[in-house]
């Protein structure tokens, strides 16, 4: 594997690892549509924005 | 005994007495359907139930069987 | 020393808007201990020492609902330093009902009368001073949505809190003589048992025979008898029960106060408001349901109909913007009498001719991209071969302004860098291939979310619950259960959580189980892909999925209600119907954009790593040898998929690819589309669509049927992992969680199986074991729905 390939390969793995880490830490992005700035981004805590 | 359930669309009446008991009755009263309150029947849902009322300046929706427990005059 | 301020008010009074304005992003969201009621507090902006505690929206401090219990416990036990009572100025009578109760707690209070902009526009006038005097609190006018006065109200509350106990000790006296007399007696008997400033509130609750308070205070039997006598006296005198007396007299007090403080504008009294006129049509007995279904269809038509805006944008996104590239509109022209499309076709034919001649065959053919069938066939001879060799690949930039797609750019960059084929494949086919498939559907998602946001923001959804109530009650739920289903069109997680508003535990459980049958945003992507690939001419397939979802909810509800675990009287449906209001453009835009943003973020955070992982197990075998696209059947994914493929056989896609796609969908439903794109790439067609068509051709002799079955299965089985986790949490017990999952899996499986098996029978006439199983399963399902209901055990 040449230098370019190795770099790209490492970059992809690093990005993927980052994505997994962020999801584990912050939870899945919440598609509940909250307009409040603090929809915590962690789906399980998002309450469905009943109080919109 | 005439109840909200007997009222026609557009009709206004005054609440005389609430029958029944428990949490639902309390809820209805909390929402403003108390003795002496003016209530107007606004509309009825497509299948006849629930009923939309205007009470104390806003719209409230209750079921026909709950409406039948509110006596009016 | 931090100052604690409670924010209390009715639902729909604008409390959340005010809370957000006061605390900005400095909020913490969690749960009240032991219950599934949301607890929200935040720091007042600019005052790090002031904590604002948002209480759930409540109509009263009665002991019946969870929200009320939690709120009053906070107010009474944690004794905040001040209360901000937010009141809807356009609905002030009912809002004051709570205010009178809050005022009795003996906590310094500021009443913020909200929606003053609407009040002023209507021409009404409210006498704040009089209300302030009557209720012994400060009263100010605000407009939270216009950001007027909210901060002043909060600062006033802080002022009151800082002044501390220098509180005017007189709590408003709201009741008639004999009731006040009884209350006074009760106050005597509980002297010393409770905080002095709240003694009146407690006394009134005891008068109402509030069981929670009475047991909490541990009042002696003798005292209770004495108190009971006083209460009975009042009841006899006023010919009503204690609770009713209190509520009635509160409202009488309020009515008198309002007669003096509220002046309604003359002109408004006689005009039917715009809200009424809209309502007349939309909740009309006959038109309501059709209008609802029509709006769904309109949404879907715009999103996925062939030739409609949604498909045009999606095709452009998938093949152009994210793929190979596209021409700027209005810049295309012909070269040598042909346009770019025709030139490409000619080139494809030339390539086919070359391939055929070099393989020694007599005829060449090209396939139709979408159907996979042969479009043209012709003879080849040496002359044709030589002519074909001379045909050059058309250069798109010669036909107009060509913008290379992101896929082409990435591929080109990798080539220039000299990256080897394997790593290039990882990026082009694996990572970008998967992510671009999902991102390509943003136009569809956008349309769906736009509609959803509009309908929610204008207040239509509450009305729909009203319309649906009777229908829902026929199978034992209330219209209130419908709201989570609307929320579910966006995402299943808040839908399951929205079931919290249902007081009845059984109904709540049922709603949780059924809420995710409405296709969510991610499932919409699956619908969009299959509509585009297999059902292009049949745009009604898309709304049909929504209709099926609703049907499952109705029929499933009926079936569940008949079992003893769920049987019981339907929950009461007492619900406020807020007025329609024209949603603000910025409001709709924000709600829509937030969702679309989340969707795209999901593509990067979840779809992307999933596709990288899939690429690995798709290109390597268990010994970590590279097998590539040609050897894909030896890959880890193919092997593992093969272990469970049998499970999907009766459904028409019993292959490792079908298995892999379905399982991967549990990470996020839209992953199914990405996975399909990945595993089908080996067919090397012109577009992902033709690849997938070819793929399903290998699943079954009736690929469209298999596609329908696949779609139904993935739409109507348990939702993605996150939603399942929330289901377990909201159910509160593992047993119920498993029941929900099991029920959903059964429904999805039987539905897909029935459609495929019976479809196959109708199309080809083959009647096999599974056809029989499908029919039996359907009969069993029908029995569950149609059997006589069991009486609830009392």
């Amino acid at each position: 594997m040449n230098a370019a390939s190795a770099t790209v390969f490492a970059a992809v793995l690093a990005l993927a690892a980052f994505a997994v880490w962020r999801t584990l830490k912050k939870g899945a992005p919440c598609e509940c549509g909250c307009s409040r700035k603090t929809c915590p981004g962690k789906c399980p805590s998002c309450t469905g924005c009943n109080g919109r | 005994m005439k109840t909200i359930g007997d009222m026609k669309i557009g009709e206004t009446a005054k609440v005389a007495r609430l029958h029944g008991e428990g949490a639902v009755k309390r809820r209805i009263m909390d929402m403003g359907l108390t003795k002496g309150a003016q209530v107007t029947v606004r509309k009825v849902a497509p299948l006849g139930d629930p009923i939309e009322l205007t009470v104390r300046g806003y719209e409230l929706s209750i079921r026909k069987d709950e409406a039948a427990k509110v006596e009016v005059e | 020393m931090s100052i604690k301020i409670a924010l209390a008010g009715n639902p729909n009074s604008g409390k959340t808007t005010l809370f957000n304005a006061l605390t900005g992003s400095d909020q913490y969201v969690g749960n009240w201990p032991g219950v599934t009621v949301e607890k929200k507090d935040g720091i007042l902006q600019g005052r790090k020492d002031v904590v604002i505690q948002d209480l759930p929206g409540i109509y009263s401090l009665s002991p019946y609902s969870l929200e009320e219990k939690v709120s009053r416990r906070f107010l009474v036990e944690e004794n905040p330093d001040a209360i901000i009572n937010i009141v809807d100025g356009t609905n002030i009578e009912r809002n004051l009902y709570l205010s009178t109760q809050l005022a009795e707690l003996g906590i310094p209070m500021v009443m913020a009368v909200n929606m003053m902009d609407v009040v002023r526009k209507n021409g009404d006038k409210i006498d704040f001073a009089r209300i302030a005097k009557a209720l012994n609190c400060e009263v100010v006018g605000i407009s939270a949505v216009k950001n007027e006065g909210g901060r002043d109200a909060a600062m006033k509350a802080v002022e009151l809190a800082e002044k501390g106990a220098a509180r005017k000790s007189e709590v408003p006296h709201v009741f008639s003589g004999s009731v006040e007399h009884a209350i006074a007696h009760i106050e005597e008997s509980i002297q010393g048992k409770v905080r002095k400033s709240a003694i009146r509130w407690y006394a009134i609750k005891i008068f109402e025979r509030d069981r929670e308070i009475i047991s909490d205070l541990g009042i002696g039997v003798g005292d209770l008898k004495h108190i009971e006598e006083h209460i009975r006296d009042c009841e006899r005198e006023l010919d009503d029960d204690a609770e009713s007396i209190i509520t009635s007299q509160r409202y009488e007090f309020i009515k008198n106060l309002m007669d003096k403080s509220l002046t309604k504008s003359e002109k408004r009294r006689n005009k039917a408001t715009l809200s009424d006129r809209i309502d007349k049509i939309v909740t009309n007995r006959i038109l309501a349901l059709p209008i609802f279904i029509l709006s769904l269809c309109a949404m879907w038509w715009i999103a996925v109909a062939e030739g409609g805006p949604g498909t045009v944008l999606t095709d452009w996104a998938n093949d152009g913007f994210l793929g190979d590239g596209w021409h700027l509109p209005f810049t295309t022209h012909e070269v040598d009498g042909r346009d770019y499309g025709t030139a490409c076709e000619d080139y494809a034919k030339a390539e086919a001719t070359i391939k055929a001649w070099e393989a020694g065959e007599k005829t060449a053919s090209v396939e139709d991209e979408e159907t996979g069938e042969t479009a043209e066939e012709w003879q080849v001879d040496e002359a044709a071969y030589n002519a074909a060799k001379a045909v050059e690949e058309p250069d798109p930039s010669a036909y107009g302004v060509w913008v290379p797609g992101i896929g082409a750019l990435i591929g080109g960059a990798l080539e220039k860098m000299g990256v080897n084929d394997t790593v290039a494949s990882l990026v082009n086919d694996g990572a970008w291939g998967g992510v671009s498939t999902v991102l390509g559907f943003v136009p569809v998602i956008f349309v769906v979310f736009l509609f959803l946001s509009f309908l929610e923001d204008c207040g239509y959804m509450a009305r729909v619950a009203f319309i649906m109530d009777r229908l829902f009650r026929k199978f034992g739920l209330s219209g209130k259960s419908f709201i989570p289903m609307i929320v579910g069109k966006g995402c299943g997680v808040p839908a399951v959580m929205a079931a919290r508003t249902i007081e009845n535990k059984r109904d709540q459980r049922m709603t949780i189980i059924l809420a995710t049958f409405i296709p969510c945003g991610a499932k919409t992507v699956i619908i969009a892909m299959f509509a585009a690939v297999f059902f292009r001419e049949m745009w009604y397939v898309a709304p049909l999925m929504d209709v099926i979802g609703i049907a499952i909810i109705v029929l499933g509800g009926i079936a569940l209600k008949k079992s003893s675990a769920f049987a019981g009287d339907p929950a009461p449906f007492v619900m406020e119907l807020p007025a329609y209001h024209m949603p603000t453009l910025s409001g709709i835009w924000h709600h829509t954009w937030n969702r679309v943003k989340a969707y795209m973020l999901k593509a990067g955070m979840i779809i992307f790593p999933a596709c990288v992982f899939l690429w690995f197990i798709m290109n390597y075998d268990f010994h970590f040898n590279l097998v590539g696209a040609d050897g894909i059947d030896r890959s880890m994914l193919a092997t593992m998929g093969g272990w469970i493929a049998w499970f999907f056989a009766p459904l028409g896609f019993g292959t490792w690819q079908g298995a892999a796609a379905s399982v991967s969908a549990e990470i996020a439903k839209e992953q199914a589309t990405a996975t399909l794109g990945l595993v089908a790439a080996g067919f090397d067609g012109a577009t992902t669509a033709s690849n997938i068509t070819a793929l399903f051709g290998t699943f079954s002799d009736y690929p469209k049927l298999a596609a329908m079955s696949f779609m139904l299965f993935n739409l109507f089985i348990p939702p993605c992992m996150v939603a399942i986790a929330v289901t377990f949490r909201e159910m509160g017990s593992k047993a119920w969680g498993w029941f929900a999952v099991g029920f959903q899996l059964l429904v999805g499986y039987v539905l897909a199986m029935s459609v495929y098996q019976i479809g196959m029978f109708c199309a080809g006439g083959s009647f096999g074991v599974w056809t029989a199983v499908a029919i039996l399963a359907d009969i069993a399902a029908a029995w569950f729905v149609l059997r006589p209901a069991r009486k609830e055990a009392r």
Side-chain angles (χ1 to χ4, degrees), chain C residues 275-287:
Chain C
S275 180
D276 299 332
R277 277 182 277 160
I278 296 176
D279 215 29
K280 264 196 165 52
I281 305 171
V282 149
T283 53
N284 174 283
R285 280 182 91 139
I286 304 173
L287 293 179

Side-chain angles (χ1 to χ4, degrees), chain C residues 583-597:
Chain C
T584 60
L585 234 54
S586 86
I588 303 182
W589 170 252
H590 279 124
H591 293 149
T592 309
W593 178 235
N594 281 331
R595 285 189 161 122
V596 174
K597 243 192 333 194

Side-chain angles (χ1 to χ4, degrees), chain C residues 172-195:
Chain C
H173 282 239
V174 161
F175 306 105
S176 72
S178 29
V179 177
E180 291 288 351
H181 183 73
I183 292 176
H185 270 278
I186 300 176
E187 284 185 5
E188 257 176 48
S189 28
I190 58 173
Q191 285 282 2
K193 280 198 206 259
V194 298
R195 175 163 51 93

Side-chain angles (χ1 to χ4, degrees), chain C residues 21-89:
Chain C
L22 293 177
T23 57
S25 52
D26 210 341
Q27 295 179 13
Y28 173 76
V29 182
N31 275 337
W32 292 93
V35 296
T36 55
V37 178
E38 180 199 43
K39 181 176 204 255
K40 227 164 57 176
D41 53 69
I43 308 278
L44 177 62
Q45 280 186 332
R47 285 291 299 256
K48 290 221 177 279
D49 57 327
V50 177
V51 175
I52 305 211
Q53 180 71 48
D54 187 20
L55 298 177
I58 47 179
Y59 293 106
S60 163
L61 292 176
S62 79
Y64 292 117
S65 82
L66 217 44
E67 280 90 3
E68 292 168 320
K69 284 196 239 197
V70 145
S71 300
R72 67 190 213 163
R73 198 167 301 148
F74 174 82
L75 290 166
V76 155
E77 284 170 24
E78 294 203 34
N79 199 12
D81 303 301
I83 299 178
I84 302 176
N85 173 214
I86 186 166
V87 159
D88 177 358

Side-chain angles (χ1 to χ4, degrees), chain C residues 342-419:
Chain C
T342 321
C344 286
E345 274 172 30
D346 291 343
Y347 181 68
K349 280 194 218 150
E351 282 200 310
T353 305
I354 294 175
K355 207 168 91 174
W357 179 258
E358 290 180 351
E361 300 189 358
K362 293 274 176 48
T363 57
S365 64
V366 281
E367 292 171 353
D368 178 302
E369 258 177 39
E370 285 164 19
T371 63
E373 287 158 5
T374 310
E376 245 187 87
E377 233 180 311
W378 61 94
Q379 302 276 34
V380 294
D381 56 21
E382 185 150 15
Y385 174 63
N386 288 325
K389 283 220 298 191
V391 174
E392 277 176 19
E393 187 169 5
D395 174 14
S397 40
Y399 291 81
V401 179
W402 178 252
V403 181
I406 299 182
L409 289 173
I410 295 179
L414 288 175
E415 234 185 272
K416 255 202 217 118
M417 281 167 51
V419 171

Side-chain angles (χ1 to χ4, degrees), chain A:
Chain A
M1 195 180 316
N2 60 34
S5 306
T7 324
V8 171
F9 180 74
V12 170
L13 285 189
L15 281 171
F18 166 72
V20 171
W21 171 84
R22 185 193 181 277
T23 306
L24 287 174
K25 182 150 184 274
K26 287 193 170 186
C30 185
E31 281 169 330
C32 59
C34 300
S35 61
R36 46 186 171 160
K37 292 184 219 165
T38 62
C39 185
K42 198 171 177 131
C43 234
S45 319
C46 183
T47 62
C49 316
N50 289 325
R52 269 199 267 163

